[in-house]
Amino acid sequence: MKAKKVLASLLAVAMVGSLAACGGGAQSSTPTTSSTASKAESTVSSKAESTTPTTSSTAESTSSGGTETSGLEYAGDTRKAAEVFPDLYDADQYNEDSSEVYNETLGKFYNTYSTAKEEEDLSSRWTMMAIAEGEMLAEAIMIPLQSRGGNYAISRVAPRTVNTTLWGSDNERYHQAVIVAGDKFLTAEQVDAIRKAWAEQAGTGKFEAWVKQYLADQGYKLNDAYNMPYTSDPNTWDTLATSKEADTEKIIQTYDGLYEYDMENVQQPALAISHEESEDGLTHTFKLREGVVWVDSQGRKVADVKADDFVAGMQHMMDAMGGLEYLVGPDGAGIKGAQAYMDKETDDFSTVGVKAVDDYTVEYTLDKKCPFFMTMLGYSVFAPMSREYYTSQGGKFGNEYDPESESYVYGKDPDHIAYNGPFLITNATKENTIVFKANESYWNKDNINIHSMTWYFNDGTDALKNYNDAKAGTIASAALTGSSTEQCKVDKLFDDYAYIAGTNATSFMGFFNINRTAYANFNDATKVVSDKTMEQAERARIAMRNVHFRRALLQSLDRGAYNAQSVGEDLKYTNLINTYTPGTFVQLEKDVTYDYNGKEMNFKKGTYYGEIVQATLDALGVDAQVWDPEMEGGIGSSAGFDGWYNTGAVAKEMVTAVEELAKAGVEISKENPIYLDLPTFSGSEQYANRAEALKQSVEKATDGLVVINKVDCPTSDDWYYAGYYYNTGNEANFDICDLSGWGPDYGDPQTYLDTMQPDYAGYMIKALGIF
């Protein structure tokens, strides 16, 4: 059941800090698990599902200690929680509990963050956002785990020939990839040479020609087919009605947007040929390329691409409310009238700031200047949609929109969408293959390197499948797990061909369910069923509300040992992260002074986001390292080391937690520990081993006061429904889940922090069991 959107009852407080910026002016300027293939070192994002927040104020406290009570409501109750909880669930009570839990845990974060979003000066804005993130991390609501990449890989795909921008979805466009033909992989030496050349040539427009000539000089011929594995079928083929990467990574091959990032990470005109921004920054005008056509899956023309298609696409996205609509509301691009339309305050879309000035001019009008507006164009909310084709497939707009209508077939499969991009989809067989072929009507068909793709389904149960398929030439590349790394060595391929894949900005986290109400999968109550009794469920729920218990839990995981199960012992720290927003995502453009709880913090121009997060944790007395200034040759980084695992801190935090929880009627001892459920994909050797590493580390570090129950998920679907496919927090079937993560949608820390807003506004907030 999807709980209704409500207003959280938060208390208004004064800001505890103030800041001042000085210096030059600020410049204006996007569920899955670790990647199964290097994909030419492309970044892959897991996208947002959210609506616009209604909460405007919050409680200040960041310490959610125990509350005195006379005892447990379910003391001695041995009934199974999975059988009892469905009858206990009440939507109104759930919403009330969600608001209360949010106040306790994230009230201070939200107060700081809300103020930061109103700050127009970028350096001041980013300073406050970093402080807000530090306050969030101090609450220990999740364990930072890893980014994508950082593993050994073997590949025939030239690195950096797929866009590697950290945000949006352009990094999943593969038509420009440069791939060598034949059965040999690129050597590690060649990979390094290409990476070095990219670093020297990025932004010059010369890299593509260079890499092709370099490979020719090395004796290679090029392949115009790119075959790869995939792990999940799309639930829809309508890119404007989804927030799932499993959908968007396929559909993005079928259309172009206004502007797109190229392989040198430079934004280039695509369907637009020019862009103008008004002096006040409130109007963005794009002139469109003429002669571009829409075709069906058979390549037959159905319409011309015109400015109205961007208007139709935006309206359909707002009608569908697939989870990305917040990106154009006040907390995103801030398109004029967008929120009023989505809130159904008006059904007149002409009041929304998206206009077709003429057939080849589209104009966006904003309520306020958005410094990251152009960086958002690489994401699906700005995708065009052929109005003519959509209506021919039963599509309607506004109050008449009804995707459940018998006549509505748009996006049901790849035969019911229109294409204007580089590929048509000729076959999509569930859990088997997806086949793409070049679109002969594509406006830029003479400048693509890939003319066909076949994606092969891999459910992850065979730890060697990707490696063996890559070795056989079935797929172009493979990330190496621990077991496939050893096999690669046995096959005498490792020394010459294995290289370390680059990392990206995806943040995979281990989320703590602090308001659990589901003890079996929401789609099938017979799957992933918890063994916990009502008493054990209640004890765990109360414990998870205590910040000291959560900190002990967070710092009890040896993340290196855990990560080694995926990438091998040699690389176990390479892709570890210590923050939610990457520490190097932005850096200050001027000096900033911030008064935090009466103590002045000074940050110089050039200070990285992660340095400010570290300073905040230090000020809050949290014993963790999230920024290492010595990493990356002295540049510094929040990744590549384990700054959270700390058994000494675990012991201290657990002492406090035990004392506070005793007052709440929860006595914790080795004889009566807290039981926490971890859904475990037993069908995968890699993920089963990872879960076991987590269990051993947590139980050892907490000296047996916490016991991890590995709840069996025989199939990937069972696992996904427990910890990824759920829509709201009341469906989250876990105490700890290490399945999903977040990738940025645009070039501002807001793209991460917005996911933790209350009242169903933040996409990832549901991972905490709230909203």
Side-chain angles (χ1 to χ4, degrees):
M1 174 181 181
K2 185 164 182 174
K4 64 183 180 180
K5 183 176 177 180
V6 296
L7 177 69
S9 53
L10 303 181
L11 302 176
V13 296
M15 279 296 294
V16 295
S18 60
L19 58 83
C22 55
Q27 283 188 312
S28 294
S29 355
T30 156
T32 60
T33 54
S34 299
S35 178
T36 54
S38 64
K39 293 188 179 179
E41 298 193 353
S42 65
T43 59
V44 187
S45 305
S46 17
K47 307 304 181 192
E49 178 177 351
S50 176
T51 55
T52 302
T54 58
T55 304
S56 59
S57 56
T58 139
E60 180 176 357
S61 173
T62 61
S63 179
S64 46
T67 302
E68 290 194 31
T69 98
S70 58
L72 300 177
E73 181 177 358
Y74 296 104
D77 193 336
T78 60
R79 292 177 299 166
K80 295 297 183 182
E83 297 172 357
V84 178
F85 255 89
D87 295 328
L88 292 179
Y89 179 77
D90 175 83
D92 290 335
Q93 184 62 51
Y94 172 75
N95 289 324
E96 184 178 332
D97 290 345
S98 292
S99 294
E100 179 183 341
V101 172
Y102 191 91
N103 290 352
E104 292 177 352
T105 55
L106 292 173
K108 189 171 185 178
F109 153 80
Y110 187 66
N111 191 54
T112 304
Y113 177 55
S114 296
T115 305
K117 288 202 294 184
E118 298 302 315
E119 177 61 56
E120 293 185 1
D121 175 76
L122 281 181
S123 293
S124 297
R125 169 190 175 89
W126 292 340
T127 296
M128 294 175 68
M129 287 186 172
I131 289 169
E133 176 153 343
E135 292 170 337
M136 178 182 70
L137 292 174
E139 281 295 331
I141 54 175
M142 54 189 174
I143 308 176
L145 293 174
Q146 74 272 340
S147 63
R148 274 199 169 117
N151 47 271
Y152 285 121
I154 51 175
S155 183
R156 300 178 181 88
V157 185
R160 297 288 183 166
T161 60
V162 173
N163 162 258
T164 53
T165 304
L166 295 179
W167 52 82
S169 295
D170 284 345
N171 47 57
E172 292 172 325
R173 297 182 183 275
Y174 301 126
H175 58 286
Q176 290 300 112
V178 176
I179 304 177
V180 297
D183 58 356
K184 288 188 177 181
F185 298 103
L186 294 171
T187 67
E189 183 179 353
Q190 290 165 343
V191 168
D192 286 343
I194 295 171
R195 285 171 164 172
K196 181 179 179 181
W198 185 92
E200 295 170 347
Q201 298 183 35
T204 67
K206 299 178 180 179
F207 175 68
E208 182 176 359
W210 180 91
V211 75
K212 289 179 178 179
Q213 185 60 54
Y214 172 78
L215 292 173
D217 293 344
Q218 296 291 308
Y220 290 104
K221 293 183 178 181
L222 300 185
N223 192 347
D224 68 353
Y226 189 1
N227 299 338
M228 66 181 72
Y230 77 100
T231 61
S232 182
D233 286 300
N235 288 317
T236 179
W237 291 90
D238 180 356
T239 196
L240 292 161
T242 181
S243 61
K244 297 292 191 293
E245 182 200 16
D247 304 329
T248 59
E249 68 177 352
K250 288 85 171 177
I251 311 170
I252 199 171
Q253 317 303 329
T254 71
Y255 72 89
D256 274 356
L258 291 165
Y259 274 66
E260 296 168 9
Y261 289 96
D262 65 16
M263 68 174 67
E264 295 181 13
N265 293 356
V266 177
Q267 201 172 34
Q268 303 285 0
L271 295 186
I273 56 173
S274 68
H275 163 248
E276 291 184 3
E277 181 179 345
S278 63
E279 187 174 345
D280 62 7
L282 299 183
T283 304
H284 293 261
T285 304
F286 298 88
K287 291 290 185 180
L288 300 187
R289 191 178 305 277
E290 297 186 29
V292 181
V293 299
W294 293 101
V295 298
D296 64 14
S297 61
Q298 303 301 309
R300 299 169 296 203
K301 179 181 175 180
V302 297
D304 292 313
V305 174
K306 295 188 176 181
D308 180 61
D309 295 330
F310 288 90
V311 180
M314 187 65 71
Q315 184 173 10
H316 175 55
M317 187 273 296
M318 293 184 190
D319 290 339
M321 299 288 280
L324 300 176
E325 55 278 355
Y326 81 99
L327 287 172
V328 300
D331 289 319
I335 292 177
K336 183 178 180 180
Q339 196 58 51
Y341 181 83
M342 291 187 288
D343 287 344
K344 301 190 182 304
E345 294 173 6
T346 178
D347 59 3
D348 182 2
F349 196 74
S350 69
T351 62
V352 178
V354 186
K355 310 287 185 187
V357 178
D358 56 42
D359 281 351
Y360 296 103
T361 307
V362 62
E363 179 183 273
Y364 296 88
T365 303
L366 314 182
D367 281 322
K368 61 180 180 180
K369 186 174 182 178
C370 176
F372 49 83
F373 180 82
M374 288 297 291
T375 72
M376 303 182 80
L377 298 183
Y379 204 40
S380 58
V381 292
F382 285 92
M385 181 188 72
S386 170
R387 186 186 298 271
E388 182 177 339
Y389 184 83
Y390 174 70
T391 56
S392 76
Q393 303 302 302
K396 297 182 180 180
F397 295 91
N399 295 332
E400 295 182 344
Y401 171 68
D402 182 10
E404 303 305 319
S405 168
E406 290 185 6
S407 64
Y408 188 94
V409 294
Y410 184 79
K412 300 297 184 183
D413 56 54
D415 289 331
H416 291 91
I417 57 173
Y419 301 71
N420 69 32
F423 295 107
L424 308 178
I425 297 171
T426 61
N427 177 52
T429 303
K430 184 177 175 60
E431 296 188 353
N432 190 299
T433 56
I434 302 175
V435 180
F436 305 78
K437 75 170 185 178
N439 176 7
E440 293 301 321
S441 298
Y442 183 46
W443 67 271
N444 200 27
K445 67 178 181 179
D446 294 334
N447 296 307
I448 66 175
N449 297 320
I450 302 301
H451 290 84
S452 68
M453 296 192 296
T454 302
W455 293 15
Y456 297 95
F457 181 73
N458 182 353
D459 65 2
T461 56
D462 181 353
L464 294 178
K465 179 172 174 53
N466 280 345
Y467 168 73
N468 287 331
D469 283 351
K471 188 173 66 169
T474 304
I475 60 176
S477 61
L480 301 182
T481 64
S483 56
S484 57
T485 295
E486 294 308 310
Q487 186 60 49
C488 188
K489 293 176 179 178
V490 170
D491 294 338
K492 300 188 184 303
L493 297 173
F494 184 85
D495 289 343
D496 289 336
Y497 300 109
Y499 65 94
I500 301 174
T503 58
N504 66 17
T506 306
S507 295
F508 287 100
M509 315 298 286
F511 290 99
F512 297 158
N513 193 331
I514 53 181
N515 186 44
R516 186 177 181 184
T517 59
Y519 292 85
N521 281 359
F522 71 92
N523 67 310
D524 185 343
T526 68
K527 300 293 180 67
V528 196
V529 180
S530 173
D531 245 356
K532 287 207 282 192
T533 66
M534 286 295 292
E535 179 181 13
Q536 291 169 344
E538 183 182 19
R539 284 167 51 80
R541 196 177 186 200
I542 295 172
M544 284 296 226
R545 293 276 292 269
N546 184 282
V547 67
H548 301 289
F549 180 85
R550 294 194 305 270
R551 284 182 189 166
L553 189 60
L554 162 58
Q555 299 192 271
S556 67
L557 176 59
D558 181 345
R559 298 182 303 142
Y562 167 91
N563 202 35
Q565 309 309 313
S566 298
V567 299
E569 186 69 22
D570 293 346
L571 303 181
K572 64 183 182 181
Y573 296 119
T574 306
N575 67 348
L576 283 188
I577 60 175
N578 292 286
T579 55
Y580 192 37
T581 308
T584 55
F585 199 67
V586 293
Q587 59 187 132
L588 302 187
E589 299 175 347
K590 60 179 71 172
D591 295 350
V592 174
T593 296
Y594 191 84
D595 180 8
Y596 192 66
N597 290 339
K599 181 179 180 181
E600 188 175 279
M601 295 195 296
N602 297 297
F603 304 109
K604 297 293 185 182
K605 175 183 177 181
T607 298
Y608 280 105
Y609 182 92
E611 296 180 73
I612 304 171
V613 177
Q614 181 68 65
T616 306
L617 289 173
D618 291 344
L620 292 172
V622 177
D623 188 5
Q625 181 182 10
V626 300
W627 178 260
D628 186 342
E630 302 302 320
M631 296 290 292
E632 301 296 326
I635 295 174
S637 178
S638 63
F641 62 97
D642 190 347
W644 282 103
Y645 178 53
N646 186 332
T647 56
V650 171
K652 293 178 182 177
E653 294 287 358
M654 192 59 83
V655 167
T656 304
V658 169
E659 291 176 353
E660 291 185 350
L661 288 168
K663 297 177 183 178
V666 178
E667 300 289 343
I668 304 176
S669 65
K670 292 183 181 180
E671 294 71 33
N672 196 16
I674 299 296
Y675 292 93
L676 300 177
D677 289 340
L678 172 71
T680 301
F681 182 17
S682 59
S684 164
E685 174 188 346
Q686 174 188 165
Y687 296 121
N689 289 345
R690 199 173 68 172
E692 180 60 25
L694 185 151
K695 175 180 173 66
Q696 291 184 15
S697 179
V698 170
E699 292 181 355
K700 181 179 179 181
T702 60
D703 197 24
L705 299 183
V706 175
V707 172
I708 302 297
N709 295 326
K710 295 188 299 178
V711 186
D712 187 33
C713 302
T715 70
S716 58
D717 267 359
D718 293 340
W719 195 35
Y720 288 157
Y721 276 107
Y724 177 57
Y725 287 149
Y726 59 96
N727 297 303
T728 49
N730 62 294
E731 297 175 340
N733 181 26
F734 58 83
D735 290 308
I736 306 174
C737 185
D738 59 348
L739 173 55
S740 63
W742 182 260
D745 300 321
Y746 47 88
D748 188 276
Q750 178 176 329
T751 189
Y752 290 91
L753 301 185
D754 257 1
T755 68
M756 286 298 160
Q757 295 189 99
D759 298 332
Y760 303 95
Y763 176 68
M764 298 307 291
I765 201 70
K766 64 184 181 180
L768 308 183
I770 54 179
F771 301 118

